[in-house]
Amino acid sequence: MNQATKIGLNLTQKLKLDRALLSVFNKKGINEFMLKRCWQHKSYKHFYRKYLICREIMAKNKIDLTGKKILEVGSGASIGLGYFFINQGYRQWTASDFFQDLLADKQAVKREKKLIKSIADKYDQKILSQLEFKDSQIFLGQKLNFSKLNIAELNTELVAGFDIILSVEVLEHLAAERMEIAIANLSAYLKSGGLMMHDIDFRDHINLANPHGFLRY
């Protein structure tokens, strides 16, 4: 979420307009526009926080990424989280999102370049050797991939294709009627013996000034 969006949402909460705003955001078309233009602008800080969440879960459960094919669901138009794990020995990291396509969006590529520079400067220079940019496009190496994936629809090409499927702060956005089919599809994408790991954020994503205020709705 970009800074202007945060300021606007906090202002609506202070003016007690957040209930009305929530109903507007939930309308088809407007929600998709906000997801693409406001929610999807992710920073180094955002992805590093996601990395710490995943690293803690993996450490507690002794999850080894060596040689694994990983699908990240709801990544936004970025492979941000995958960059932080790039030296963990995974075979391939596929980031996916329904609303944006990193490989087709020139603005997303510009943001990705900026993110990669931040990660290289603050975290690990080695990620620069994994990528190539040319003419507003991004060319990913053998270890990185991006898919414009709708988890509410089964993609038969991905069946039994992944050792690990994960998401951070994604599934809470799914409508109840889509959750069951989405989980069934993700289960189909797992290899035998594979695992899923989902971190779900129960805070209110609209009312930033009072993140637990959603309980009154």
Side-chain angles (χ1 to χ4, degrees), residues 177-192:
E177 62 271 16
R178 300 177 67 193
M179 180 65 76
E180 187 173 345
I181 186 63
I183 294 299
N185 291 340
L186 292 177
S187 297
Y189 298 154
L190 279 178
K191 296 179 181 179
S192 177

Side-chain angles (χ1 to χ4, degrees), residues 86-126:
I86 207 162
N87 293 316
Q88 298 291 319
Y90 60 74
R91 180 180 170 191
Q92 186 180 69
W93 187 289
T94 298
S96 68
D97 196 79
F98 176 56
F99 291 98
Q100 278 189 293
D101 187 350
L102 172 62
L103 302 179
D105 189 332
K106 292 182 179 180
Q107 291 303 313
V109 172
K110 287 182 180 179
R111 294 194 296 270
E112 195 76 345
K113 287 182 180 180
K114 198 172 181 180
L115 173 66
I116 290 167
K117 185 178 185 306
S118 295
I119 296 175
D121 290 343
K122 300 175 183 179
Y123 183 75
D124 189 350
Q125 282 281 336
K126 293 179 182 177

